[in-house]
Amino acid sequence: MHGPELSSSTIAVGAGRPARTPGAPLNAPITLASALVPGGESEYGRHGNPAWTAFEEVLGALEGGRALAFASGQAACAAVFDLVPARAAVVAPAGAYSGTLVQLRERARRGLIDLRLVDVTDTQAVVDAADDAALVWLESPTNPLLEVADVEHIAAEAARAGTAVAVDNTFATPLRQKPLELGADFVVHSASKLISGHSDVILGAVVTGNPRAHRAIEARRANLGAIPGAMECWLATRGIRTLHVRLDRAEANAREIARRLQSSSVVSGIRYPGWGTILSFEVQGGPEMAQKVTEQSDVITHATSLGGVESTWERRRRHAAEPDVVPEALVRLSVGIEDVEDIWYDVERSLAAI
Ligand SMILES: *Cc1c(COP(=O)(O)O)cnc(C)c1O
């Protein structure tokens, strides 16, 4: 159905739909089944489900590889970490998502891996650390410091050293960054965020263009049972249909909010790569003040998570697992698709309390 010339917007809308046979639904149905009639692709619900396939087809088409849906972003990360040979080195950003760091640190503590944390914006440091490593884990932009890695350069150097590269593409989405095209071996998503886009799903995915790696990841999922629900895949498929529209609007809003924050006298250290829907900044007056600001907004919801249609913000260090490279007074703002003037009014009003 899809030639390589179709744009991402068209793929987001059209991929992963059932064959156009008379009477067929336009959307893949939610199939609730633990067992399926033998002779098809799978016959047990831990090995496959048509609702997973629909989501995997559209995400895979957008990323340019084959996708496998997981129970959560964390389960998707774990499936990739599980491929690392015993005691091999793993390079990862010191400012990676807290849950990812918790997993990696735990593996290092048990002696399963040799963990090397790096500043992901220091390309040469990443390349040097990657030299005899099994895996370079990138996250770009990072959550919540919005650090951007030079994925293409790092992937080229890692390939020379025989080191696999995985990119957590949650913040960028395949509409702003296609890591497989930049030379990465794996893309990982928390589809709970922008891909689903409505703060109603926990879901993850791993995408790869390598058939052997795909089979290995699929085996991890089936054997460990970190499988997604059919309902979650259906919701994520529905969400991804509008990803391009949501992203364009939220990004335009985020860019404007980041620009206006520059002239605020009560915030500093505004972090925004110039694209994407998430930004962070530090509130003057310290963590208590940052906490207060985030708790008194009206349009913006005080909540964790990100990437929904609604704007949300929080002081990240209120979570005990947040790494200390994240400043105590840092607020992460996930900009939604509301009217930008309403969001800005709320930001100004909340900051006025300082
Ligand atoms: C949320 C998040 C995860 C974890 O995903 P879950 O779906 O919550 O398990 C991983 N990486 C990044 C960058 C995230 O923001």
Side-chain angles (χ1 to χ4, degrees), residues 90-96 100-102 104-105 108 113-120 125-126 129 137 323 325:
V90 175
V91 180
T100 307
L101 287 173
V102 168
L104 287 171
R105 286 206 168 100
I113 58 165
D114 165 21
L115 180 59
R116 298 175 183 167
L117 296 180
V118 291
D119 171 356
V120 82
V126 180
W137 182 269
V325 291

Side-chain angles (χ1 to χ4, degrees), residues 25-197:
L26 270 65
N27 294 294
I30 303 166
T31 304
L32 297 175
S34 59
L36 301 112
V37 176
E41 272 185 20
S42 74
E43 56 177 277
Y44 187 49
R46 181 152 44 74
H47 294 160
N49 178 294
W52 304 0
T53 310
F55 172 68
E56 290 168 350
E57 280 180 13
V58 59
L59 180 61
L62 286 172
E63 289 283 8
R66 284 184 74 191
L68 287 159
F70 277 83
S72 64
Q74 287 289 85
C77 295
V80 175
F81 298 152
D82 278 350
L83 300 185
V84 175
R87 290 175 296 283
V90 175
V91 180
Y97 171 66
S98 57
T100 307
L101 287 173
V102 168
Q103 284 201 45
L104 287 171
R105 286 206 168 100
E106 195 228 350
R107 280 166 200 259
R109 210 164 36 240
R110 289 159 60 207
L112 301 177
I113 58 165
D114 165 21
L115 180 59
R116 298 175 183 167
L117 296 180
V118 291
D119 171 356
V120 82
T121 64
D122 184 345
T123 304
Q124 196 52 48
V126 180
V127 169
D128 291 346
D131 196 36
D132 57 346
L135 175 70
V136 175
W137 182 269
L138 299 176
E139 186 181 305
S140 185
T142 53
N143 177 3
L145 296 178
L146 284 311
E147 301 155 311
V148 174
D150 185 344
V151 175
E152 191 165 21
H153 186 88
I154 294 167
E157 293 294 325
R160 243 189 292 284
T163 305
V165 174
V167 179
D168 183 331
N169 208 27
T170 299
F171 272 35
T173 85
L175 301 189
R176 293 294 180 270
Q177 175 171 264
K178 288 188 166 63
L180 299 182
E181 283 180 6
L182 297 174
D185 303 282
F186 299 96
V187 176
V188 173
H189 276 285
S190 169
S192 320
K193 316 288 171 53
L194 281 151
I195 289 201
S196 292

Side-chain angles (χ1 to χ4, degrees), residues 241-261:
R241 300 287 181 223
T242 57
L243 177 60
H244 50 298
V245 182
R246 289 185 283 105
L247 203 58
D248 285 351
R249 172 61 177 267
E251 182 176 68
N253 286 353
R255 201 176 276 142
E256 183 59 18
I257 299 292
R259 191 185 69 75
R260 293 187 190 183
L261 276 172

